[in-house]
Amino acid sequence: AIQAASPDLDLDAYANQVRAEYFVRGRLKAIPGQLKKREVVLHRLAEEFKPGKRYSEKRVNEILKAFHSDVVTLRRELVDHKLLRNEKGYYWRATVDE
C-alpha cells in the first residue's frame, strides 16, 4: 500500500499529482526513482491486468511496452511490489489474500 508523507496529505490527490507528472499522453515518461512515486506508477500499471486472468510473459511485455520501453524493469518491479505474481512463465494480478 502507498503511504502518505503526512496524515493531512490527501492520498488520492497525491496519486493524481504523481500520475499527472509521470504519464504524458498515456505513456510513462520515466520510472520514478523515489519509492513512493514509483509505487503510485506501479499501482496504475497493475490496473491494466484483470484480476483472475493469467498472462504470458510476452503479453505482459506487450501491455507494459504501451507505457514504457523498459518492460523488464517494470515487470520485475510489479512482481517485487507484489502487484503481479508469476509462476512457470505466467503472470497474474495479485489479490489481497495471496
Side-chain angles (χ1 to χ4, degrees):
I2 303 166
Q3 299 294 317
S6 63
D8 59 341
L9 180 63
D10 181 350
L11 202 51
D12 288 336
Y14 177 76
N16 289 337
Q17 174 189 340
V18 171
R19 287 180 180 194
E21 180 182 349
Y22 281 90
F23 288 92
V24 177
R25 293 186 300 279
R27 294 231 353 128
L28 181 59
K29 69 178 187 179
I31 300 171
Q34 185 181 4
L35 178 60
K36 191 168 59 167
K37 290 180 179 181
R38 190 172 337 125
E39 286 177 338
V40 170
V41 166
L42 293 172
H43 278 269
R44 166 60 191 91
L45 294 176
E47 292 171 7
E48 295 296 310
F49 301 92
K50 293 183 175 78
K53 182 176 179 182
R54 290 187 180 258
Y55 298 85
S56 67
E57 184 172 307
K58 180 181 177 189
R59 183 65 186 131
V60 171
N61 290 346
E62 290 169 352
I63 291 168
L64 295 176
K65 186 86 169 165
F67 292 93
H68 194 273
S69 62
D70 190 353
V71 297
V72 174
T73 297
L74 292 175
R75 191 179 66 237
R76 185 184 67 239
E77 290 277 326
L78 285 164
V79 171
D80 288 351
H81 286 267
K82 298 180 175 28
L83 297 171
L84 286 185
R85 299 280 189 213
N86 70 323
E87 183 178 294
K88 298 178 183 167
Y90 285 90
Y91 293 76
W92 62 94
R93 188 161 168 190
T95 57
V96 177
D97 56 335
E98 282 189 84

